């Protein structure tokens, strides 16, 4: 064991980060970003930072409790032994089930250890993992929610383009399909023909509704249609992928590399969207990305841009990092976007410096 990287403490904070206004998707409203913030500290003074979240304070309280329980398996161990930690945490979670809250808890601890690994090596995580590139194209995901009026959508879409984004994502899934079409048309007219448009239906439709909506959206040059049906209906995703005129994107609700392997084998999607916290952290995310690479499938990380952009820059088959600034209020330095790309620095680890005043302010 490298004594300097021995884990001495794991601190977990429950934060509720406010939003300017509640967000609305076809799945649920989002009143605030309730977050479990984790800091893993080592004997030599390194501090690895990660977080996960859930919609609802009771659910985040459960997540915090699970993280604190699993953290006991790390204290006194070498932070750099990520594979060992991952297996130990997975085994400890086996009786109640390795997916769900157990995975989210594992993910924060694993990701924080990778932050420490980068700091100990004096390298940013993207170089530690392979260093394929130093920047990744991003799309704006922070707006265009279902509660916006058609006029608000148009104004917001133009504003995102004015900020330098060359791609934007809007939400769909209203009860009236023609209203969805009207909203898509409004956004396309607002952003013009050269800006890419993604549409996320948040699992709101069934197979037949998806095929109908994809046909109605075809004239608006949709870059991808995301999660139109419940994520577990893999056969339906395969049918959709084979029939709709635009690319299909899914994967954010799937757990671990084995579920993404199923998507790849069945050609159930054109873009795979692995979620860092549902993958079990950096250790499993990179394996999942390589599984997809073996099938010639691109991956596009879901959320957590402060961490996931590093993974995207290490994976040759990664395209597009979702820009979602939910956790920027607790950062001392914002994520840097240059010419529509997230630009990473050479700062060791993930380069995250917490604004401790903001952390204290948002602590529950």
């Amino acid at each position: 064991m490298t004594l300097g990287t021995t884990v001495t403490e794991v601190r977990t904070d429950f934060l509720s980060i406010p939003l300017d206004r509640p967000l609305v998707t076809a799945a649920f409203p989002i009143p605030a970003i309730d977050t479990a913030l984790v800091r893993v500290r080592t004997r030599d003074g390194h501090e690895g930072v990660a977080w996960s979240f859930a919609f609802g304070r009771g659910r985040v309280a459960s997540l915090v409790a699970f993280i604190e329980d699993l953290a006991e398996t790390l204290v006194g161990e070498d932070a750099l032994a990520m594979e060992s930690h991952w297996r130990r945490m997975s085994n400890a979670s086996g009786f109640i089930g390795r997916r769900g809250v157990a995975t989210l808890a594992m993910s924060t601890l694993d990701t924080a250890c990778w932050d420490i690994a980068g700091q100990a090596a004096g390298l940013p995580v993207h170089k530690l993992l392979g260093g394929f590139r130093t920047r990744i194209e991003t799309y704006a995901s922070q707006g265009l929610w279902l509660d916006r009026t058609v006029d608000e959508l148009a104004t917001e879409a133009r504003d995102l383009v004015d900020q330098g984004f060359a791609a934007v994502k809007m939400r769909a899934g209203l009860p009236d399909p023609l209203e969805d079409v009207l909203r898509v048309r409004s956004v396309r007219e607002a952003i013009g023909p050269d800006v890419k448009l993604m549409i996320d239906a948040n699992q709101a439709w069934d197979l037949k509704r998806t095929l109908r909506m994809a046909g109605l959206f075809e004239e608006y040059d949709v870059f991808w249609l995301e999660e139109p049906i419940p994520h577990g209906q893999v056969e339906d995703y395969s049918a959709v992928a084979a029939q709709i005129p635009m690319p299909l994107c899914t994967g954010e609700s799937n757990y671990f590399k084995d579920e993404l392997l199923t998507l790849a084998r069945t050609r159930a999607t054109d873009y795979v969207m692995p979620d860092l916290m549902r993958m079990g952290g950096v250790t499993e995310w990179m394996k999942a990305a390589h599984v997809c690479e073996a099938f010639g499938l691109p991956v596009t990380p879901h959320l957590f841009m402060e961490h996931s952009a590093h993974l995207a820059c290490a994976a040759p088959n990664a395209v597009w990092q979702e820009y979602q600034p939910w956790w920027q209020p607790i950062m001392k330095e914002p994520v840097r976007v240059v010419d529509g790309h997230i630009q990473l620095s050479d700062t060791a680890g993930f380069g995250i410096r917490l604004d401790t005043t903001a952390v204290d302010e948002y602590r529950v």
Side-chain angles (χ1 to χ4, degrees), residues 83 257 282-292:
E83 289 284 359
K257 62 181 179 293
V282 175
T283 299
E284 183 82 350
W285 194 102
M286 290 302 298
K287 293 175 184 177
H290 293 319
V291 163
C292 294

Side-chain angles (χ1 to χ4, degrees), residues 305-307 309 323 328 331 333-337 342-344:
M305 62 183 181
E306 296 85 355
H307 298 98
Y323 184 92
Q328 291 295 279
M331 304 289 123
E333 295 97 14
V335 167
R336 187 178 174 215
V337 178
I342 290 179
Q343 180 68 55
L344 298 180

Side-chain angles (χ1 to χ4, degrees), residues 220-278:
Y220 303 110
D221 191 19
V222 175
F223 189 74
W224 76 46
L225 179 61
E226 182 178 329
E227 269 203 324
I229 55 182
H231 72 276
Q233 297 175 199
V234 177
E235 290 184 3
D236 284 350
Y237 268 99
S238 297
V240 169
Q243 294 181 61
I244 65 173
M246 70 279 294
L248 186 63
C249 179
T250 191
E252 70 176 73
S253 298
N254 295 89
Y255 288 86
F256 301 141
K257 62 181 179 293
D258 60 333
E259 292 192 14
L260 298 195
L261 174 60
T262 298
L263 294 177
R265 279 178 169 166
T266 56
R267 310 305 297 184
T269 190
D270 301 288
Y271 292 92
V272 181
M273 184 177 275
D275 180 284
L276 177 62
M277 294 302 146
R278 289 194 177 98

Side-chain angles (χ1 to χ4, degrees), residues 24 31 38 47 120 123 144 256 329:
V24 178
V38 172
E47 181 179 84
L123 293 170
L144 310 180
F256 301 141

